Every structure is written in structure tokens, then in C-alpha cells.
Amino acid sequence: MDIPWSAPVRVEIKNGKYRMIHGPVEALECLTREWPVRDGPYFDAAKKSCEAAIARAKPASEARDIFISASLEAFLRVH
């Protein structure tokens, strides 16, 4: 079961297509399956933070913030 974020993150993955991410489960799935840039400190931190939020070891809001940073690191548009 996903832990919903206070507000979803709308991220442009490729070719102008956006995806709404509602929580750490969806974020981790996106990072694992669709992410265009798989290196960088925020990419790794976002995966670990989402896993920790899913395990309820860290707040979901922290995972959201790091996911946004990973999106910017990968030069993705975030809304």
C-alpha cells in the first residue's frame, strides 16, 4: 500500500508525456522502470528514501523532496 504524499508530483518522463506520482511506491517504480538518468547522488538517494518511506522508517514527505531533486538532477520537468 502506498503512502500518499501531501501533493502529487507531475513529472515529464519522455517525449512530453507526464506522469503523476502520488507516493513513494509509485516514485520507486518510476525510478526503477522509467528513469532516463540512472547515476547521480539524488537518483540513489531517492531510491533509498522511497524504500525507507515504504518501510515507514522515514517520512513520505522526505522521499517526495528527494524525488523532486532527482527529477531536477535528471533534467526532467516537474510540476
Side-chain angles (χ1 to χ4, degrees):
M1 181 173 96
D2 206 353
I3 303 152
W5 288 337
S6 59
V9 176
R10 184 176 177 228
V11 63
E12 182 179 358
I13 298 296
K14 55 186 167 185
N15 302 326
K17 293 183 181 182
Y18 285 87
R19 179 155 179 214
M20 288 294 248
I21 307 297
H22 297 91
V25 170
E26 288 181 5
L28 186 58
E29 177 183 299
C30 184
L31 289 162
T32 303
R33 295 182 183 175
E34 302 176 61
W35 215 246
V37 180
R38 295 183 182 258
D39 59 351
Y42 286 111
F43 172 75
D44 292 330
K47 284 177 51 178
K48 289 176 184 172
S49 185
C50 286
E51 290 168 350
I54 291 165
R56 300 187 187 271
K58 286 192 175 186
S61 60
E62 184 178 315
R64 183 182 186 276
D65 292 343
I66 297 173
F67 178 77
I68 291 171
S69 295
S71 300
L72 298 174
E73 176 182 69
F75 302 104
L76 301 178
R77 292 183 187 203
V78 178
H79 300 275

